[in-house]
Amino acid sequence: NAGVMQNPRHLVRRRGQEARLRCSPMKGHSHVYWYRQLPEEGLKFMVYLQKENIIDESGMPKERFSAEFPKEGPSILRIQQVVRGDSAAYFCASSPGQGPEKLFFGSGTQLSVL
Amino acid sequence: AQKITQTQPGMFVQEKEAVTLDCTYDTSDQSYGLFWYKQPSSGEMIFLIYQGSYDEQNATEGRYSLNFQKARKSTNLVISASQLGDSAMYFCAMRGLNSGNTPLVFGKGTRLSVIA
């Protein structure tokens, strides 16, 4: 049973470009969470999605950032017009959504903005 | 809202010794879950152990155990018989359970270094 798959593992973008980060949850999981981690920091919650719905986006910046989890295919975190401050590790986690279960994390995408 | 505080930025422990990593939390939820994750230098987040707020027994998973003190709002992680492979960042996290699925809230982490 494959775990949470994130790609790419590393992404380099120049300022002003767009970054698209993909996350395929574990089989049978319909809940996806995106987190951002700066060096030597804990993970900061960004957005929580179920299939085709954004449940909580309280941690996501209002501008340039968007997320989706379509009926078919992976969840996408999209950052438009990237700036150097967007450089971070972005983690996706999934859960089946049945009670206080743990989140299963992917290996993360390291975004570097030049 | 939930808040997690890990006051130890870094800890050292001798191989084969036990070590305690501190974690305190704050929440207005009556029901909540407490988690510990390990992040080695490779970057992935590995789940270690879980404690529910209504669990009367302290959780244990192999060499990991929790010293859960609800009145003091603390859930310290104890790693027994430390191994070199335990060197990593350790994150305490929690989620409220009063209103459906809520995101995990993480502390800033403790970097554990195991010395041979």
Side-chain angles (χ1 to χ4, degrees):
Chain A
N1 190 12
V4 178
M5 304 300 291
Q6 286 189 250
N7 66 82
R9 189 78 172 88
H10 300 277
L11 182 62
V12 179
R13 285 287 178 266
R14 295 191 181 280
R15 281 179 295 171
Q17 291 185 319
E18 178 180 287
R20 291 170 68 88
L21 288 64
R22 294 175 183 75
C23 170
S24 296
M26 286 183 70
K27 187 176 180 181
H29 287 194
S30 59
H31 296 241
V32 166
Y33 304 78
W34 285 94
Y35 286 82
R36 176 163 64 178
Q37 184 181 32
L38 296 171
E40 301 301 315
E41 294 275 333
L43 277 69
K44 299 284 190 214
F45 166 72
M46 297 182 73
V47 61
Y48 163 35
L49 310 103
Q50 293 181 31
K51 283 284 187 182
E52 301 184 277
N53 288 304
I54 295 175
I55 306 302
D56 181 352
E57 56 182 346
S58 59
M60 198 155 69
K62 295 282 187 285
E63 297 181 355
R64 302 188 299 108
F65 285 73
S66 62
E68 63 177 11
F69 188 18
K71 187 177 180 181
E72 301 290 338
S75 176
I76 306 287
L77 178 67
R78 182 181 177 202
I79 311 172
Q80 295 178 291
Q81 299 174 339
V82 296
V83 301
R84 290 227 172 100
D86 297 332
S87 295
Y90 292 83
F91 286 91
C92 168
S94 74
S95 73
Q98 303 285 335
E101 73 284 344
K102 65 186 182 232
L103 302 188
F104 293 81
F105 281 84
S107 297
T109 293
Q110 181 65 51
L111 173 65
S112 299
V113 180
L114 302 180
Chain B
Q2 286 87 34
K3 184 179 178 181
I4 294 283
T5 302
Q6 294 181 256
T7 57
Q8 304 155 315
M11 291 281 286
F12 289 88
V13 64
Q14 201 77 33
E15 196 178 7
K16 300 180 185 176
E17 298 291 315
V19 63
T20 298
L21 306 183
D22 296 341
C23 174
T24 58
Y25 60 90
D26 193 18
T27 181
S28 56
D29 284 3
Q30 296 299 312
S31 178
Y32 48 88
L34 298 158
F35 303 76
W36 279 88
Y37 281 83
K38 172 185 178 181
Q39 187 179 42
S41 57
S42 51
E44 71 268 32
M45 295 289 288
I46 303 168
F47 167 76
L48 295 179
I49 193 167
Y50 167 80
Q51 178 89 43
S53 57
Y54 285 103
D55 293 339
E56 293 186 357
Q57 302 272 2
N58 283 339
T60 62
E61 287 285 349
R63 293 186 299 111
Y64 305 109
S65 61
L66 292 181
N67 181 6
F68 177 48
Q69 298 184 52
K70 192 171 181 179
R72 300 179 69 173
K73 293 191 175 181
S74 74
T75 179
N76 298 337
L77 175 69
V78 180
I79 305 174
S80 61
S82 297
Q83 302 171 357
L84 294 177
D86 294 334
S87 294
M89 284 290 289
Y90 289 81
F91 292 99
C92 180
M94 74 176 301
R95 66 191 310 191
L97 304 176
N98 278 12
S99 51
N101 287 306
T102 57
L104 276 177
V105 174
F106 285 84
K108 287 181 181 271
T110 295
R111 181 173 297 283
L112 177 66
S113 299
V114 180
I115 305 165

Short mmCIF file of all heavy atoms in Angstrom, two decimals, chain B residues 47-81:
data_model
loop_
_atom_site.label_atom_id
_atom_site.label_comp_id
_atom_site.label_asym_id
_atom_site.label_seq_id
_atom_site.Cartn_x
_atom_site.Cartn_y
_atom_site.Cartn_z
N PHE B 47 5.35 9.18 12.12
CA PHE B 47 4.51 9.12 13.31
C PHE B 47 5.13 8.17 14.34
O PHE B 47 5.57 7.07 13.99
CB PHE B 47 3.11 8.63 12.94
CG PHE B 47 2.27 8.25 14.12
CD1 PHE B 47 1.70 9.23 14.90
CD2 PHE B 47 2.09 6.92 14.46
CE1 PHE B 47 0.92 8.89 16.00
CE2 PHE B 47 1.31 6.58 15.56
CZ PHE B 47 0.74 7.55 16.34
N LEU B 48 5.14 8.60 15.60
CA LEU B 48 5.71 7.77 16.66
C LEU B 48 4.65 7.23 17.61
O LEU B 48 4.61 6.02 17.89
CB LEU B 48 6.73 8.58 17.47
CG LEU B 48 7.99 9.03 16.76
CD1 LEU B 48 8.86 9.84 17.71
CD2 LEU B 48 8.75 7.85 16.19
N ILE B 49 3.81 8.13 18.16
CA ILE B 49 2.95 7.71 19.26
C ILE B 49 1.81 8.70 19.43
O ILE B 49 1.95 9.89 19.09
CB ILE B 49 3.78 7.58 20.56
CG1 ILE B 49 3.02 6.85 21.67
CG2 ILE B 49 4.31 8.94 21.02
CD1 ILE B 49 3.93 6.43 22.84
N TYR B 50 0.67 8.20 19.94
CA TYR B 50 -0.54 9.00 20.10
C TYR B 50 -1.13 8.81 21.50
O TYR B 50 -1.08 7.70 22.05
CB TYR B 50 -1.58 8.56 19.06
CG TYR B 50 -2.98 9.09 19.31
CD1 TYR B 50 -3.31 10.38 18.94
CD2 TYR B 50 -3.95 8.30 19.93
CE1 TYR B 50 -4.59 10.87 19.17
CE2 TYR B 50 -5.23 8.79 20.17
CZ TYR B 50 -5.54 10.08 19.78
OH TYR B 50 -6.80 10.57 20.02
N GLN B 51 -1.66 9.92 22.04
CA GLN B 51 -2.36 9.87 23.34
C GLN B 51 -3.67 10.63 23.21
O GLN B 51 -3.66 11.80 22.82
CB GLN B 51 -1.50 10.53 24.43
CG GLN B 51 -2.14 10.58 25.81
CD GLN B 51 -1.85 9.34 26.63
OE1 GLN B 51 -0.73 8.85 26.66
NE2 GLN B 51 -2.84 8.83 27.33
N GLY B 52 -4.78 9.99 23.52
CA GLY B 52 -6.06 10.68 23.55
C GLY B 52 -6.27 11.33 24.91
O GLY B 52 -5.81 10.80 25.93
N SER B 53 -6.99 12.43 24.92
CA SER B 53 -7.14 13.18 26.17
C SER B 53 -7.92 12.39 27.23
O SER B 53 -7.79 12.66 28.42
CB SER B 53 -7.84 14.51 25.90
OG SER B 53 -9.10 14.31 25.28
N TYR B 54 -8.71 11.43 26.80
CA TYR B 54 -9.48 10.65 27.76
C TYR B 54 -8.86 9.29 28.05
O TYR B 54 -9.43 8.48 28.77
CB TYR B 54 -10.92 10.48 27.26
CG TYR B 54 -11.72 11.75 27.42
CD1 TYR B 54 -11.99 12.56 26.33
CD2 TYR B 54 -12.19 12.15 28.67
CE1 TYR B 54 -12.71 13.73 26.48
CE2 TYR B 54 -12.90 13.32 28.83
CZ TYR B 54 -13.16 14.11 27.73
OH TYR B 54 -13.87 15.27 27.88
N ASP B 55 -7.68 9.05 27.48
CA ASP B 55 -6.99 7.79 27.76
C ASP B 55 -6.42 7.84 29.17
O ASP B 55 -5.67 8.77 29.50
CB ASP B 55 -5.85 7.55 26.76
CG ASP B 55 -6.35 7.31 25.35
OD1 ASP B 55 -7.54 6.95 25.21
OD2 ASP B 55 -5.57 7.48 24.40
N GLU B 56 -6.74 6.86 29.98
CA GLU B 56 -6.27 6.87 31.37
C GLU B 56 -4.85 6.35 31.49
O GLU B 56 -4.12 6.72 32.41
CB GLU B 56 -7.22 6.05 32.23
CG GLU B 56 -8.61 6.69 32.34
CD GLU B 56 -9.51 5.96 33.32
OE1 GLU B 56 -9.08 4.93 33.88
OE2 GLU B 56 -10.64 6.42 33.54
N GLN B 57 -4.49 5.48 30.57
CA GLN B 57 -3.14 4.91 30.61
C GLN B 57 -2.21 5.75 29.74
O GLN B 57 -2.60 6.22 28.67
CB GLN B 57 -3.15 3.48 30.07
CG GLN B 57 -4.09 2.53 30.79
CD GLN B 57 -3.41 1.87 31.96
OE1 GLN B 57 -2.25 2.16 32.24
NE2 GLN B 57 -4.12 1.00 32.65
N ASN B 58 -0.96 5.87 30.15
CA ASN B 58 0.04 6.49 29.31
C ASN B 58 0.33 5.60 28.10
O ASN B 58 0.49 4.38 28.24
CB ASN B 58 1.34 6.71 30.09
CG ASN B 58 1.25 7.89 31.03
OD1 ASN B 58 0.41 8.77 30.86
ND2 ASN B 58 2.10 7.91 32.03
N ALA B 59 0.39 6.23 26.91
CA ALA B 59 0.63 5.46 25.70
C ALA B 59 2.07 4.93 25.66
O ALA B 59 3.00 5.60 26.14
CB ALA B 59 0.37 6.33 24.47
N THR B 60 2.24 3.74 25.11
CA THR B 60 3.58 3.18 24.89
C THR B 60 3.60 2.53 23.50
O THR B 60 2.61 1.95 23.06
CB THR B 60 3.95 2.12 25.94
OG1 THR B 60 3.01 1.04 25.83
CG2 THR B 60 3.93 2.69 27.33
N GLU B 61 4.76 2.67 22.82
CA GLU B 61 4.99 2.04 21.52
C GLU B 61 6.45 1.65 21.45
O GLU B 61 7.32 2.45 21.13
CB GLU B 61 4.68 3.01 20.37
CG GLU B 61 3.23 3.32 20.11
CD GLU B 61 2.48 2.19 19.43
OE1 GLU B 61 3.14 1.23 18.95
OE2 GLU B 61 1.24 2.25 19.37
N GLY B 62 6.74 0.43 21.81
CA GLY B 62 8.13 -0.02 21.78
C GLY B 62 8.98 0.78 22.75
O GLY B 62 8.70 0.83 23.95
N ARG B 63 10.03 1.45 22.22
CA ARG B 63 10.91 2.23 23.09
C ARG B 63 10.37 3.62 23.40
O ARG B 63 10.99 4.40 24.14
CB ARG B 63 12.29 2.36 22.43
CG ARG B 63 13.05 1.05 22.31
CD ARG B 63 14.48 1.26 21.79
NE ARG B 63 14.50 1.85 20.46
CZ ARG B 63 14.93 3.08 20.20
NH1 ARG B 63 15.35 3.87 21.18
NH2 ARG B 63 14.94 3.53 18.96
N TYR B 64 9.21 3.96 22.82
CA TYR B 64 8.61 5.27 23.05
C TYR B 64 7.48 5.15 24.06
O TYR B 64 6.65 4.24 23.98
CB TYR B 64 8.04 5.84 21.75
CG TYR B 64 9.04 5.93 20.62
CD1 TYR B 64 8.95 5.08 19.53
CD2 TYR B 64 10.08 6.85 20.65
CE1 TYR B 64 9.86 5.15 18.48
CE2 TYR B 64 11.00 6.93 19.61
CZ TYR B 64 10.89 6.07 18.54
OH TYR B 64 11.80 6.14 17.51
N SER B 65 7.42 6.10 24.98
CA SER B 65 6.30 6.17 25.90
C SER B 65 6.03 7.63 26.21
O SER B 65 6.88 8.50 26.02
CB SER B 65 6.59 5.40 27.20
OG SER B 65 7.71 5.94 27.86
N LEU B 66 4.81 7.88 26.65
CA LEU B 66 4.41 9.25 26.98
C LEU B 66 4.19 9.37 28.48
O LEU B 66 3.60 8.48 29.10
CB LEU B 66 3.14 9.64 26.24
CG LEU B 66 3.27 9.80 24.72
CD1 LEU B 66 1.94 10.22 24.11
CD2 LEU B 66 4.36 10.80 24.37
N ASN B 67 4.63 10.47 29.04
CA ASN B 67 4.31 10.84 30.41
C ASN B 67 3.25 11.93 30.32
O ASN B 67 3.56 13.12 30.22
CB ASN B 67 5.56 11.35 31.12
CG ASN B 67 5.27 11.72 32.56
OD1 ASN B 67 4.16 11.50 33.07
ND2 ASN B 67 6.26 12.28 33.23
N PHE B 68 1.98 11.48 30.30
CA PHE B 68 0.85 12.37 30.05
C PHE B 68 0.31 12.85 31.40
O PHE B 68 -0.14 12.05 32.23
CB PHE B 68 -0.24 11.64 29.27
CG PHE B 68 -1.49 12.44 29.02
CD1 PHE B 68 -1.43 13.73 28.55
CD2 PHE B 68 -2.75 11.87 29.25
CE1 PHE B 68 -2.58 14.46 28.30
CE2 PHE B 68 -3.92 12.59 29.00
CZ PHE B 68 -3.83 13.88 28.53
N GLN B 69 0.36 14.17 31.61
CA GLN B 69 -0.16 14.77 32.83
C GLN B 69 -1.19 15.80 32.43
O GLN B 69 -0.86 16.96 32.12
CB GLN B 69 0.97 15.39 33.65
CG GLN B 69 2.00 14.36 34.10
CD GLN B 69 3.06 14.97 34.99
OE1 GLN B 69 2.75 15.62 35.98
NE2 GLN B 69 4.32 14.76 34.65
N LYS B 70 -2.45 15.38 32.44
CA LYS B 70 -3.53 16.20 31.89
C LYS B 70 -3.71 17.50 32.66
O LYS B 70 -3.93 18.56 32.08
CB LYS B 70 -4.83 15.39 31.90
CG LYS B 70 -5.96 16.02 31.10
CD LYS B 70 -7.12 15.05 30.99
CE LYS B 70 -8.25 15.64 30.16
NZ LYS B 70 -9.37 14.69 30.02
N ALA B 71 -3.62 17.43 33.99
CA ALA B 71 -3.83 18.63 34.80
C ALA B 71 -2.75 19.68 34.52
O ALA B 71 -3.00 20.88 34.58
CB ALA B 71 -3.84 18.26 36.27
N ARG B 72 -1.56 19.21 34.20
CA ARG B 72 -0.46 20.13 33.91
C ARG B 72 -0.37 20.44 32.41
O ARG B 72 0.50 21.18 31.98
CB ARG B 72 0.85 19.53 34.40
CG ARG B 72 0.89 19.25 35.87
CD ARG B 72 2.20 18.64 36.31
NE ARG B 72 3.31 19.57 36.21
CZ ARG B 72 4.52 19.32 36.66
NH1 ARG B 72 4.78 18.16 37.22
NH2 ARG B 72 5.49 20.20 36.52
N LYS B 73 -1.24 19.82 31.63
CA LYS B 73 -1.25 19.99 30.17
C LYS B 73 0.13 19.73 29.59
O LYS B 73 0.71 20.56 28.86
CB LYS B 73 -1.76 21.39 29.79
CG LYS B 73 -3.23 21.60 30.13
CD LYS B 73 -3.79 22.87 29.52
CE LYS B 73 -5.29 22.97 29.79
NZ LYS B 73 -5.88 24.19 29.20
N SER B 74 0.66 18.57 29.94
CA SER B 74 1.95 18.21 29.38
C SER B 74 1.92 16.76 28.88
O SER B 74 1.18 15.92 29.41
CB SER B 74 3.07 18.38 30.40
OG SER B 74 3.01 17.37 31.38
N THR B 75 2.69 16.50 27.86
CA THR B 75 2.77 15.15 27.30
C THR B 75 4.21 14.92 26.85
O THR B 75 4.54 15.02 25.68
CB THR B 75 1.78 14.97 26.14
OG1 THR B 75 1.92 13.65 25.60
CG2 THR B 75 2.00 15.99 25.04
N ASN B 76 5.07 14.56 27.78
CA ASN B 76 6.48 14.41 27.49
C ASN B 76 6.77 13.05 26.87
O ASN B 76 6.23 12.02 27.30
CB ASN B 76 7.30 14.58 28.77
CG ASN B 76 7.11 15.97 29.36
OD1 ASN B 76 6.74 16.91 28.68
ND2 ASN B 76 7.36 16.08 30.65
N LEU B 77 7.63 13.05 25.88
CA LEU B 77 8.03 11.82 25.20
C LEU B 77 9.27 11.24 25.87
O LEU B 77 10.27 11.96 26.05
CB LEU B 77 8.32 12.10 23.72
CG LEU B 77 8.86 10.92 22.91
CD1 LEU B 77 7.80 9.85 22.71
CD2 LEU B 77 9.38 11.40 21.55
N VAL B 78 9.22 9.98 26.22
CA VAL B 78 10.38 9.29 26.79
C VAL B 78 10.87 8.27 25.78
O VAL B 78 10.09 7.42 25.33
CB VAL B 78 10.02 8.60 28.12
CG1 VAL B 78 11.25 7.89 28.69
CG2 VAL B 78 9.47 9.60 29.13
N ILE B 79 12.13 8.37 25.43
CA ILE B 79 12.76 7.39 24.53
C ILE B 79 13.74 6.59 25.39
O ILE B 79 14.67 7.16 25.98
CB ILE B 79 13.50 8.05 23.36
CG1 ILE B 79 12.58 8.99 22.60
CG2 ILE B 79 14.07 6.99 22.42
CD1 ILE B 79 13.28 9.79 21.50
N SER B 80 13.52 5.31 25.48
CA SER B 80 14.40 4.47 26.29
C SER B 80 15.48 3.85 25.40
O SER B 80 15.29 3.72 24.18
CB SER B 80 13.60 3.37 26.99
OG SER B 80 12.98 2.54 26.02
N ALA B 81 16.60 3.51 26.02
CA ALA B 81 17.69 2.82 25.32
C ALA B 81 18.00 3.50 23.98
O ALA B 81 17.90 2.89 22.91
CB ALA B 81 17.34 1.36 25.11
#
